[in-house]
Amino acid sequence: MIIPIYGYGEPVLRQVATEITPDHPNLKEIITNMYDTMYNAYGVGLAAPQVGMAIRLFVIDTEPFSDSDNLSKEEQAQLKNFKKTFMNAKMLAEDGDEWGFNEGCLSIPDVREDVVRNERITIEYCEEDFVRKTEIFDGLIARVIQHEYDHIQGVLFTDKISMLKKTLIKKKLQNIMDGKAFPDYRMKFANKKGR
């Protein structure tokens, strides 16, 4: 089921999310709904706070990035086959060179800015089986994970840009809060009843 995505200004986007237990109500349905909602909005990641739930859960499918001509065949194959559910994630390390990439967010439609992040991460998490694992990721996969991990920490990509750029997008952010943004997916706006 496709559910509304919460827009910039919604308080849940600023909460540090809480851990999930195996007996969390309707967890499988929540995960399915999050994938459906992400695909409907043509996203590559979606975190539970973006659909109104302050729990440590996010889903990722980087397949849309695999068509880029700027990538090697190996990178394209990695991105094409990377679909994963992350629960109770804990970032252990962010290292390697820093690099910029033009990011957007389903909760902040029509706003894109260059964000600098580390190229490699070490993260501990559970998939749907609640078995804890630790993995290292790099490149675009690491970036998408970092972006979604920020969501469960109450951080948005706009927090990582310069004051000048924040000033330049201030009106766009206010429009999102006021419901004056019109993406082609359902949203819930901070200062307006959902559409």
Side-chain angles (χ1 to χ4, degrees):
M1 179 174 76
I2 295 163
I3 46 184
I5 293 173
Y6 282 47
Y8 181 89
E10 285 284 351
V12 70
L13 295 175
R14 292 304 188 175
Q15 292 178 20
V16 176
T18 58
E19 291 222 341
I20 307 168
T21 58
D23 61 350
H24 189 88
N26 306 314
L27 186 56
K28 284 187 190 285
E29 183 183 345
I30 289 168
I31 293 168
T32 299
N33 291 346
M34 285 179 62
Y35 275 108
D36 290 348
T37 300
M38 178 183 73
Y39 293 137
N40 179 69
Y42 302 102
V44 294
L46 187 69
Q50 293 181 272
V51 289
M53 293 174 283
I55 55 175
R56 297 186 76 77
L57 166 65
F58 57 89
V59 298
I60 289 175
D61 187 343
T62 58
E63 195 268 338
F65 283 152
S66 67
D67 293 336
S68 174
D69 293 332
N70 300 331
L71 302 171
S72 69
K73 294 287 184 201
E74 181 184 327
E75 288 172 309
Q76 287 176 338
Q78 281 181 322
L79 292 165
K80 189 171 191 72
N81 298 309
F82 191 83
K83 177 182 175 179
K84 197 174 281 285
T85 301
F86 291 79
M87 295 190 300
N88 299 333
K90 181 179 178 185
M91 193 70 71
L92 302 178
E94 295 174 88
D95 52 29
D97 293 338
E98 292 186 339
W99 62 293
F101 186 82
N102 195 254
E103 291 188 22
C105 178
L106 297 177
S107 292
I108 312 174
D110 303 321
V111 175
R112 298 193 66 84
E113 291 293 339
D114 287 342
V115 177
V116 174
R117 297 187 188 270
N118 292 92
E119 69 179 339
R120 185 174 47 254
I121 62 167
T122 305
I123 191 166
E124 183 180 278
Y125 68 99
C126 302
E127 289 185 276
E128 294 176 51
D129 56 10
F130 279 89
V131 174
R132 206 124 187 91
K133 57 177 70 173
T134 300
E135 288 192 83
I136 296 171
F137 298 102
D138 60 13
L140 275 174
I141 290 172
R143 176 170 293 273
V144 176
I145 293 169
Q146 287 167 309
H147 179 108
E148 299 309 327
Y149 182 83
D150 280 351
H151 275 298
I152 63 172
Q153 294 294 104
V155 175
L156 300 173
F157 85 92
T158 51
D159 299 335
K160 297 181 177 287
I161 62 176
S162 70
M163 286 307 295
L164 173 62
K165 287 185 176 180
K166 286 179 189 174
T167 302
L168 294 173
I169 64 169
K170 189 175 180 181
K171 179 69 173 155
K172 284 184 176 181
L173 297 178
Q174 186 63 51
N175 283 342
I176 294 167
M177 289 192 294
D178 293 341
K180 296 176 184 170
F182 305 100
D184 56 0
Y185 50 88
R186 289 177 58 208
M187 285 195 75
K188 181 179 184 307
F189 300 104
N191 298 338
K192 181 182 176 181
K193 297 211 184 287
R195 49 181 249 220

